[in-house]
Amino acid sequence: MINKTFAFIKTDKKFVKLFFDDITAIKGLGNYVEIYTTSDKKYIYYKTLKDLIESLPDEFMRIHNSYIVNVTNIDSFEDNHIICKDLKLTVAKSYRECLMNTLQKMML
C-alpha cells in the first residue's frame, strides 16, 4: 500500500482504524503515545514518538520533543503556539524554523 490514508492501532485490546486526516496531534508519554483526533477522541498506543514519526505521512511534523502535529489540521500559529481544535501546543525553538518553512510553502 503506497498511498496509505489510514492505519490500524491496537488500543484497549482491540484494533482501531485511524484515518491520518482525522489525527490532529500526537503526544509522547514515554513508551506510549496519546493520539488526539478531530472527533475529540483520544487513543493510547504502545509506541514511542520517535518510532511513530518514521511511519507517518509527510503532513505530520514534530514541533516539540513531546508532540507531533498534522499540519493540515492546524487552525492557527501565533507566539510559539499552535492551535489544533481544542489543543494549544507549544512549538520548541529547535523545531520552529522548520515549521515556519513548511507553513510558508502552504501560504496563498
Side-chain angles (χ1 to χ4, degrees):
M1 292 179 61
I2 294 175
N3 290 325
K4 293 193 317 183
T5 59
F6 65 89
F8 284 92
I9 62 167
K10 188 174 182 181
T11 182
D12 296 329
K13 299 180 182 177
K14 63 183 174 187
F15 288 93
V16 176
K17 182 179 187 179
L18 277 179
F19 286 93
F20 294 125
D21 290 345
D22 293 338
I23 298 172
T24 55
I26 303 168
K27 178 181 180 180
L29 304 169
N31 288 332
Y32 290 85
V33 292
E34 187 172 27
I35 301 172
Y36 297 89
T37 66
T38 56
S39 60
D40 295 327
K41 290 184 180 176
K42 295 180 196 174
Y43 300 98
I44 303 291
Y45 180 49
Y46 182 74
K47 199 161 201 173
T48 64
L49 218 55
K50 182 182 178 202
D51 292 339
L52 189 60
I53 190 72
E54 295 170 4
S55 58
L56 290 170
D58 291 339
E59 61 262 19
F60 287 87
M61 174 177 253
R62 192 112 184 226
I63 60 158
H64 191 276
N65 284 343
S66 300
Y67 288 103
I68 295 171
V69 295
N70 184 342
V71 177
T72 60
N73 287 330
I74 293 174
D75 293 326
S76 64
F77 174 54
E78 181 182 7
D79 297 332
N80 287 343
H81 288 94
I82 283 179
I83 306 295
C84 292
K85 288 215 36 117
D86 296 334
L87 295 172
K88 184 176 183 179
L89 308 173
T90 302
V91 178
K93 287 181 184 178
S94 56
Y95 296 100
R96 181 178 164 82
E97 186 176 336
C98 186
L99 175 65
M100 290 299 296
N101 290 338
T102 302
L103 294 178
Q104 288 286 344
K105 291 176 188 172
M106 299 173 88
M107 289 183 69
L108 289 176

